[in-house]
Amino acid sequence: MEFDQNRAAKPFDVTLLDIFRGARNTIRRWRDRRETRKILSHLSDAQLRDIGLTRHDVSRKG
């Protein structure tokens, strides 16, 4: 078997633009989660309970 018959057609098909888009999307998701936690932290315990969350759920990262 020849060497080039055993290689993938495109072994690394990720461009620099793909990397930047991925980083941008990661930052956006992080910012959205941070904003959501900020809004939820202003709710009372009763309001959080109404939507099925606890204070611990709001402060948990992730």
Side-chain angles (χ1 to χ4, degrees), residues 1 3 5 7 10 12 15 17 19 21 27 31 36-38 41 53 55 57-58 60:
M1 179 180 286
F3 173 74
Q5 290 176 337
R7 287 190 324 189
K10 291 185 177 182
F12 194 70
T15 66
L17 183 59
I19 293 170
R21 284 179 178 156
I27 291 169
R31 190 176 55 219
T36 299
R37 282 192 305 269
K38 182 179 174 184
S41 71
L53 296 174
R55 186 70 48 200
D57 294 332
V58 172
R60 185 173 33 191

Side-chain angles (χ1 to χ4, degrees), residues 23-39:
R24 180 192 64 198
N25 290 339
T26 298
I27 291 169
R28 282 181 179 168
R29 284 191 308 269
W30 174 78
R31 190 176 55 219
D32 290 344
R33 286 191 307 265
R34 184 183 62 172
E35 184 66 24
T36 299
R37 282 192 305 269
K38 182 179 174 184
I39 292 168

Side-chain angles (χ1 to χ4, degrees), residues 38-54:
K38 182 179 174 184
I39 292 168
L40 290 173
S41 71
H42 287 58
L43 298 179
S44 69
D45 288 338
Q47 290 170 319
L48 289 172
R49 194 171 37 250
D50 284 345
I51 59 174
L53 296 174
T54 65

